[in-house]
Every structure is written in structure tokens, then in C-alpha cells.
Amino acid sequence: MEQCLTIVIPTLNAAAALPRTLAACAEAEAAILVVDGGSSDATRAIAAAAGCPVLPAARGRGTQLAAGGAAATGHWLLFLHADTRPARGWSAAVRHFMADPGNRHRAAHFAFALDDPAPQARRLERLVAWRSRRLGLPYGDQGLLLSRALYEAVGGYRPLPLMEDVDLVRRIGRRRLAALPVAAVTSAERWRRDGWYRRSARNLLCLALWFLGLPPRWIARVYA
């Protein structure tokens, strides 16, 4: 699988989370490309020590993902946040998806999970599962697996200041999205820091503003 899959990870001061994510990614023995937006901590050193090439890019997840997608060499691409690590056994699920020729024009995402035992985390996971299944709107912290052919056909990531993940999956379309039978575990630090309900409400507001057609730069101000 290492010759056909490239894992693209955008980073910005991700030294605390990146080692666990890279360790989880090692299960697949795939190529890993770290796209760094100007970290001032040990992020780049950690990536280099793990043998991962580091691509400098302008700060901003959308910009970094777009740069990584353009530079990646694999026939298949897996975009993964630096604080999101696929659960054990994920590589078998990815391999199975890629082996089906019919999936060349489909994309897949992991189930959403948080590394927190709080009841609020379980409720949020159920809400995200519903959103992904019913609305076809997985977010970037669920990962995104797709062939380079599909990625290029839909125009790839755009260098947006926010909502770059929603923008891409909307162009892919709900009917071309599939859920992988394995979770990707994301750090719950942002929810613990901002408050479970406050952060969830803000995310929902940003999504609503996106569908109302507000420019991403305006939504980014709300998010910040």
C-alpha cells in the first residue's frame, strides 16, 4: 500500500499530538507528507525524525491541504488532521476500500470519536454520525480517503480560511461518500477548553452561515 497511498497531514504547532498520529499511521506503511504552516515548536523535527518529508506552506488548513494534495504522489490520498489518529486496524479497512475498482470515484471517511470518557463526548459522537449519514457532511477530523482521479476531478481542496472540508465533500456529493467501519480518534482538548455546548453551537453556527452563502473569511471571524 505504501506505493499507492499518501497520507497528508497539515500541521501548526502540533508537537503534542503529532507523535501519536504518526505512530497510528505507521500501521499502513504508506507515504506520509507533513505540510507545515510555520510551526514554532518541535513539529517539523518530530516529522523529520519519523522520516516524513515536511512541505512548508502558508498558514491555514485549507491552504496547507491544497498544497499537500498538489505535492502528494500517491494514486490514493488520505487527508488527516494532526490531532486525529485512526484506530487500530484502520489500514485493513482502507486497503479493502481501495481494492474495489468501483471506489475509484468515491470517497470514504472514518467514524468520529473523541479521546474523552465524558457523556458529552458520546452524545457528540452520535450527532456527528447522524450528520455524516443523513447529510453527507463528514468533517476533516474524520479523515478523507479518495483517489487522486476523484480529487482532481472535483477540484481538490481550495485555500479557504475555514470550511475547506465542507466545501470539498459538498463537491464530492453525498452519494459518493462512504463510511469506513473504523473510528478516527480526535483530541477533545478544544471542547474541554471552550465548553462542550459552546463549541458545538459555534460549529453549527458556522455551518449554517456557510449554507447561507456568507464568505468563508466572515465565517472565520465568527469561529475565532
Side-chain angles (χ1 to χ4, degrees):
M1 184 157 59
E2 66 272 19
Q3 294 181 353
C4 61
L5 176 67
T6 298
I7 304 171
V8 178
I9 304 175
T11 58
L12 179 63
N13 295 329
L18 187 59
R20 288 179 295 176
T21 298
L22 293 179
C25 289
E27 178 185 308
E29 299 181 355
I32 302 174
L33 175 63
V34 172
V35 188
D36 190 67
S39 294
S40 57
D41 63 2
T43 294
R44 285 173 289 182
I46 291 169
C52 304
V54 178
L55 174 67
R59 180 176 300 191
R61 187 171 280 158
T63 301
Q64 291 167 238
L65 287 167
T73 57
H75 297 300
W76 285 84
L77 306 174
L78 173 59
F79 295 94
L80 199 65
H81 288 183
D83 63 348
T84 297
R85 60 188 188 278
R88 187 182 300 274
W90 71 270
S91 61
V94 166
R95 189 180 299 111
H96 180 76
F97 185 85
M98 295 191 305
D100 185 342
N103 288 334
R104 187 170 178 267
H105 299 290
R106 301 179 73 211
H109 59 84
F110 296 108
F112 176 75
L114 289 168
D115 63 350
D116 193 296
Q120 297 95 318
R122 305 291 82 77
R123 286 194 289 267
L124 183 56
E125 289 167 358
R126 289 192 292 269
L127 285 172
V128 170
W130 179 88
R131 187 194 68 212
S132 301
R133 182 177 62 255
R134 296 296 185 184
L135 304 181
L137 289 174
Y139 283 2
D141 48 17
Q142 294 171 255
L144 187 66
L145 171 70
L146 71 171
S147 69
R148 171 164 293 283
L150 176 58
Y151 182 77
E152 293 179 350
V154 298
Y157 279 103
R158 294 170 177 165
L160 302 176
L162 200 70
M163 311 301 288
E164 75 288 334
D165 45 3
V166 175
D167 174 66
L168 179 54
V169 298
R170 288 283 289 172
R171 281 181 278 129
I172 293 171
R174 176 183 171 186
R175 293 185 178 181
R176 292 192 290 183
L177 286 169
L180 296 171
V182 64
V185 182
T186 291
S187 170
E189 175 58 32
R190 292 167 292 172
W191 283 270
R192 289 191 292 262
R193 180 191 65 215
D194 300 340
W196 290 95
Y197 297 109
R198 182 180 178 184
R199 183 170 187 89
S200 297
R202 184 173 58 183
N203 290 346
L204 183 59
L205 174 60
C206 290
L207 181 62
L209 293 176
W210 169 265
F211 278 108
L212 287 173
L214 268 70
R217 65 180 182 277
W218 292 7
I219 303 175
R221 294 176 184 175
V222 174
Y223 185 82

